[in-house]
């Protein structure tokens, strides 16, 4: 689990959606629904309404859940990072939709992020029909190992999100914040840094650039 986890049911500490501090949380059950199908002693408890109070800001989140399984009802927010400024427009919609549902459906967010990097591979010159093949082709073109690993992490977790039983909702809740960060890392490594280097090179005196081109043509 991340050392700074996102909000999760009955977790004693997480990143507060109100103040963004990694804070201790106090949980209190507000309402309990008891269902007795027989009218006898076999009562059992159904989902309850809970409030969770942040120690840092005293902000309240409301949850619905039972035992260790539950979902946050309010506030409707997410701690997922904003998209990188250079994330291509073709990917932005999927990324933003993933952010909007990350809290309510981590599995859905993971699947959307997988789609996001599939489109990102197209932006990097690949066909986009098979993401695994696209990554393999990028590796042959010299893709840095760390970027390849980031792409494969998002690909594998996104694949598992659409196959029930492979990973639990809790597993995805633990990992989905990291997937957003990995998408931004990929954009930084494969789009932003090359653009900055290209701009720096273009700012060199024309004579210097011509001399470099002449030198390299002799290879």
């Amino acid at each position: 689990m991340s050392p700074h986890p996102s909000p999760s049911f009955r977790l004693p500490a997480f990143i507060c959606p109100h103040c963004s501090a990694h804070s201790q949380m106090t949980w209190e059950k507000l309402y309990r629904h008891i269902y007795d199908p027989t009218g006898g002693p076999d009562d059992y408890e159904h989902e309850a309404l809970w409030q969770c109070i942040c120690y840092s800001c005293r902000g309240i989140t409301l949850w619905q859940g039972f035992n260790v399984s539950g979902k946050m009802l309010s506030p409707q927010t997410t701690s997922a990072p904003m998209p990188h400024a250079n994330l291509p427009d073709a990917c932005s919609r999927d990324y933003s939709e993933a952010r909007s549902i990350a809290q309510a459906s981590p599995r859905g967010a993971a699947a959307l992020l997988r789609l996001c990097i599939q489109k990102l591979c197209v932006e990097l010159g690949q066909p986009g029909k098979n993401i695994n093949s696209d990554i393999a082709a990028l590796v042959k073109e010299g893709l840095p190992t760390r970027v390849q690993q980031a792409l494969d992490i998002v690909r594998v977790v996104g694949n598992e999100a659409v196959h029930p039983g492979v990973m639990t909702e809790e597993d995805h809740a633990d990992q989905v914040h990291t997937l957003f960060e990995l998408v931004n890392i990929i954009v930084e490594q494969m789009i932003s840094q090359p653009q900055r280097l290209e701009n720096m090179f273009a700012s060199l005196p024309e004579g210097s650039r011509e001399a470099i081109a002449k030198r390299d043509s002799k290879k």
Side-chain angles (χ1 to χ4, degrees), residues 5 11 40 77 87 90-91 100 107 112-113 130 139 161 184 190 203:
L11 201 65
T77 187
L87 181 70
C91 310
S100 71
R107 288 179 62 235
L112 282 166
L113 291 174
N130 185 303
V139 169
N184 285 338
M190 298 303 294
S203 69

Side-chain angles (χ1 to χ4, degrees), residues 44-205:
Y44 61 89
E45 184 178 325
H46 273 219
E47 288 186 331
L49 185 65
W50 298 72
Q51 73 171 6
C52 178
I53 304 173
C54 171
Y55 182 82
S56 296
C57 71
R58 311 310 295 172
I60 296 175
T61 55
L62 292 178
W63 299 71
Q64 183 180 26
F66 173 64
N67 288 340
V68 296
S69 178
K71 61 181 179 179
M72 188 166 70
L73 302 178
S74 70
Q76 295 291 325
T77 187
T78 178
S79 60
M82 295 294 290
H84 194 289
N86 288 329
L87 181 70
D89 291 341
C91 310
S92 294
R93 181 176 178 179
D94 298 316
Y95 189 102
S96 297
E97 185 177 350
R99 284 190 79 248
S100 71
I101 66 169
Q103 185 63 46
S105 178
R107 288 179 62 235
L112 282 166
L113 291 174
R114 181 201 175 281
L115 179 60
C116 183
I117 65 162
Q118 184 168 5
K119 293 179 179 179
L120 189 56
C121 284
V122 175
E123 297 294 318
L124 297 175
Q126 300 305 312
K129 294 182 179 180
N130 185 303
I131 190 171
N132 195 41
S133 298
D134 288 348
I135 295 172
L138 289 169
V139 169
K140 290 181 180 179
E141 294 175 5
L143 183 74
T145 300
R146 290 181 180 178
V147 178
Q148 168 261 308
Q149 291 173 341
L151 285 167
D152 277 323
I153 291 169
V154 182
R155 175 184 66 84
V156 170
V157 176
N159 281 343
E160 292 174 346
V162 296
H163 293 93
V166 178
M167 294 178 67
T168 67
E169 192 74 17
E170 289 74 19
D171 291 333
H172 284 288
D174 287 342
Q175 294 190 17
V176 71
H177 192 277
T178 300
L179 299 186
F180 286 101
E181 294 177 344
L182 289 173
V183 171
N184 285 338
I185 288 172
I186 294 164
V187 174
E188 175 64 23
Q189 293 282 327
M190 298 303 294
I191 297 178
S192 296
Q193 288 188 9
Q195 285 181 354
R196 287 198 295 270
L197 288 172
E198 185 177 339
N199 292 337
M200 290 177 187
F201 187 80
S203 69
L204 293 175

